[in-house]
Amino acid sequence: MRKCEVAVLGLGLMGGAALSALLDAGVDALGFDPVAAGSDRGSSHGSCRIFRRFNFENPNYTSLSDEAHAGWIRLQTESGQTVLTETPILEAGRPGSAMVASSRAAAIAKGRPDPKMTAAVANKEFPAFNLPDDWDVVVQDGAAILHTATVMKLMRARAGNRVILERASFTPHHDGVSIRTATQEFFAERAILALGPWLGRALPQLAALLNVTRQAVGWFKPASPDTVVSGRFPIFILDRGPDDMVYGFPDFEQRGVKAAPHNHGPVVGPDDWGPQASDAELRPIGEALAALVPGAAGPIIDRDVCLYTNTAPADIRRDAGEEFIIDRWPESRLIVCSACSGHGAKFAPAIGQRLARLATDPSYQAEPFFQLSRYSQFA
C-alpha cells in the first residue's frame, strides 16, 4: 500500500491547481483521475473559458480574480506558453440590467474609471454588434481568454508521475482516507474531492444542494469575419432578460465564434455528456447573435456540451445560489471543492491554494461565503 500526505481526487482545473499548489509546497501528494487531459468529458474540458476581473456574481470576487490572475501569469511565464489572451469584455443588457450594474459597481469599487458606455458608442467601436440604443453597456479591461486545454496539459505535465490515471474510490477513516483503484491501494492523511458533477454521487449528503445542468455550446460561422477576430472583437455577455443570458468569444481559433447560454439548461446526471448539442438547443443562441451581434451570426459549424454543477441558495448566510463550496467535510479528513456553478474556472489558481491550505494548515478557513456552514444542515 502506497502512502501519501494528501490525495486529490479529480484533476480538472480545480483539482489540478490544488495538486500543483501542494507539490510546489513540498507536500507528498498524489492526484487521481481517469479522464486524460484533452478529453471531451469533465467540467474543465474544451479549449477556453472567460477570465473576468470584475464579476457581477459577487463583489468579493475581485480580489480572488486578482490572486488567480497572478497564478495564471506565473504559469504562463514559467511554461512559455500562452495561458491568457487579454481582451476587453463587453457586458450589456436591457435597461436596469442587474448584471451590468453589478459588474460596473465592482469596477468602480476598486477605483477604476466608470466603464459605462452607450450602446451607440459600443456598436461603433465593435461593428459586429447591433445593441439597442436603450441598453445598458459596460466595456472593461481586466478580461482574457483563458486557454484551458493548454492549462490542463501544463498541470498534468508538471505533476508527472504524481498523477494516477485510474478511477478511484475512497473510504474515510478517523486517521486518514483509504483510496482504491482497479490496480492499487493507497492511504492518504487527507483527501481533496474535486469531482465536478460527480461530487453529489461521491457524497450523497451533499446531493440535495447540487444540481447538474446540460449546457449547449456552439461555434458559428461569422457573417463578417473581419469584425470578430481577436483584437477587434471583445468577449461578451448579453443579458436579454430573466433566464436568458448569452456569452461568447472572439474567433481566436479560426473555428468560428463560440457562444452559449449562461442560464441553466435541463437537469441531467454526471455521466450525461451526450448527445452533442442539437440544432434546436442552439437555435436561441443563433437568434440572439442575429439580433444583437449580426457580424458573428451564421451557420453552426461545431458544437459541444458542458455540464454546470450548481449550488442551491444558502439559508443561513444567505446567497442566491451558484456560489462555490470550498471547505472541510464534517468529522472527516476530506476537503470538498465544488460546485463551481459554471463560472469558477477563472479562479482555479486561487482556489487551488485554498484547497492546499485546508489540507495542510489546521488553522486555515476559506471565506465564509464558500463554507458549508452557510447551509442549515451543516451549521
Side-chain angles (χ1 to χ4, degrees):
M1 178 183 291
R2 185 173 176 182
K3 296 184 178 181
C4 65
E5 292 177 78
V6 182
V8 182
L9 277 63
L11 295 177
L13 289 171
M14 302 303 168
L19 182 60
S20 293
L22 290 163
L23 295 177
D24 287 347
V27 177
D28 179 16
L30 296 172
F32 298 81
D33 200 325
V35 179
S39 169
D40 60 357
R41 293 163 60 86
S43 297
S44 301
H45 86 276
S47 64
C48 59
R49 296 291 187 277
I50 295 173
F51 178 89
R52 289 180 281 139
R53 183 178 183 212
F54 304 110
N55 298 273
F56 55 84
E57 296 91 347
N58 185 328
N60 297 301
Y61 284 171
T62 306
S63 58
L64 196 69
S65 291
D66 290 346
E67 184 182 339
H69 185 268
W72 293 130
I73 294 299
R74 186 165 53 249
L75 179 61
Q76 181 167 274
T77 301
E78 291 172 355
S79 68
Q81 297 193 44
T82 301
V83 169
L84 293 177
T85 298
E86 294 188 3
T87 184
I89 182 166
L90 181 153
E91 295 162 294
R94 295 177 183 234
S97 165
M99 179 199 78
V100 176
S102 296
S103 183
R104 180 186 178 199
I108 292 171
K110 287 294 181 180
R112 304 286 291 191
D114 190 339
K116 184 177 180 180
M117 182 179 287
T118 66
V121 170
N123 292 337
K124 184 176 181 180
E125 185 166 342
F126 305 110
F129 287 83
N130 184 31
L131 301 172
D133 288 343
D134 63 345
W135 269 35
D136 295 338
V137 183
V138 294
V139 176
Q140 311 200 52
D141 59 9
I145 300 165
L146 173 61
H147 298 273
T148 47
T150 299
V151 169
M152 291 285 287
K153 291 175 183 175
L154 290 172
M155 286 180 172
R156 293 290 178 95
R158 292 180 79 199
N161 62 8
R162 293 282 173 167
V163 174
I164 313 298
L165 282 170
E166 296 185 66
R167 188 179 304 279
S169 61
F170 67 92
T171 304
H173 304 280
H174 73 279
D175 59 344
V177 184
S178 60
I179 297 159
R180 183 187 296 270
T181 71
T183 63
Q184 302 176 74
E185 292 185 15
F186 304 82
F187 191 84
E189 294 175 19
R190 284 176 174 76
I192 295 169
L193 306 184
L195 296 170
W198 294 280
L199 183 64
R201 180 178 293 171
L203 294 173
Q205 308 96 305
L206 198 56
L209 299 179
L210 306 178
N211 68 82
V212 178
T213 56
R214 172 183 166 93
Q215 307 294 137
V217 180
W219 283 258
F220 297 82
K221 184 177 181 179
S224 301
D226 319 353
T227 66
V228 299
V229 296
S230 189
R232 296 196 63 197
F233 185 77
I235 292 169
F236 63 88
I237 306 176
L238 306 176
D239 177 12
R240 303 206 304 164
D243 298 320
D244 191 2
M245 196 176 293
V246 176
Y247 69 88
F249 292 80
D251 182 9
F252 70 98
E253 299 175 289
Q254 291 74 56
R255 187 183 176 188
V257 170
K258 177 183 176 180
H262 189 52
N263 42 291
H264 294 170
V267 175
V268 296
D271 296 311
D272 294 338
W273 294 92
Q276 280 283 39
S278 67
D279 287 352
E281 288 177 300
L282 293 173
R283 187 173 298 117
I285 307 308
E287 291 171 350
L289 294 179
L292 300 169
V293 202
I300 300 164
I301 54 177
D302 204 352
R303 59 191 77 211
D304 197 3
V305 169
C306 287
L307 298 187
Y308 283 6
T309 307
N310 310 287
T311 55
D315 58 346
I316 290 186
R317 183 188 173 91
R318 292 186 178 273
D319 60 38
E322 300 181 32
E323 275 287 5
F324 315 147
I325 295 172
I326 304 167
D327 205 355
R328 298 181 180 89
W329 190 246
E331 299 179 4
S332 76
R333 293 187 170 223
L334 301 173
I335 294 95
V336 177
C337 172
S338 211
C340 289
S341 298
H343 62 101
K346 68 181 84 63
F347 301 121
I351 291 176
Q353 290 288 342
R354 283 158 174 74
L355 294 170
R357 290 191 66 185
L358 284 167
T360 58
D361 180 356
S363 67
Y364 176 73
Q365 300 287 337
E367 290 86 343
F369 46 87
F370 292 147
Q371 293 178 20
L372 284 163
S373 60
R374 68 185 195 261
Y375 295 102
S376 56
Q377 73 185 76
F378 293 102

